[in-house]
Amino acid sequence: MKKYVKECVGIEINTNNADFARKKCKAKIFSCPLDTTGIPKEYFDLIFLFETLEHLEDPLSVLKQAAEYLKPTGSICIQVPNISDALLSVYRLNGYADFYYSQ
């Protein structure tokens, strides 16, 4: 993504995962909720929530908050797990299955 955008920012509450993401992605990764980062509202063109909603106690409030940080023409892209994920059901990738079922 980085070569297509001006800036990449991530939120990863788990500090070990955040450290890994900082090193691997060379991006700005916060280990705190979005509303405590100091990022101004209406900042982002795109917000991605990849395999996140299913882990949240109150996903609707997180979506509402994320929307506050979008520019008026921004979009939120959401991906949630699917038991019929093609990587499992079609391609039968064992490495992905180990990751998928461990969450």
Side-chain angles (χ1 to χ4, degrees), residues 50-52 54-55 79-81 96-103:
F50 290 145
E51 304 206 13
T52 301
E54 69 277 9
H55 298 282
Q79 175 186 332
V80 293
Y96 183 71
D98 293 342
F99 164 77
Y100 183 88
Y101 292 117
S102 70
Q103 293 187 18

Side-chain angles (χ1 to χ4, degrees), residues 27-39:
K28 186 184 301 182
I29 308 293
F30 291 93
S31 294
C32 58
L34 180 57
D35 63 342
T36 65
T37 61
I39 295 171

Side-chain angles (χ1 to χ4, degrees), residues 46-63:
L46 293 168
I47 293 177
F48 295 93
L49 295 168
F50 290 145
E51 304 206 13
T52 301
L53 287 182
E54 69 277 9
H55 298 282
L56 301 175
E57 189 172 311
D58 186 3
L60 185 56
S61 69
V62 171
L63 287 171

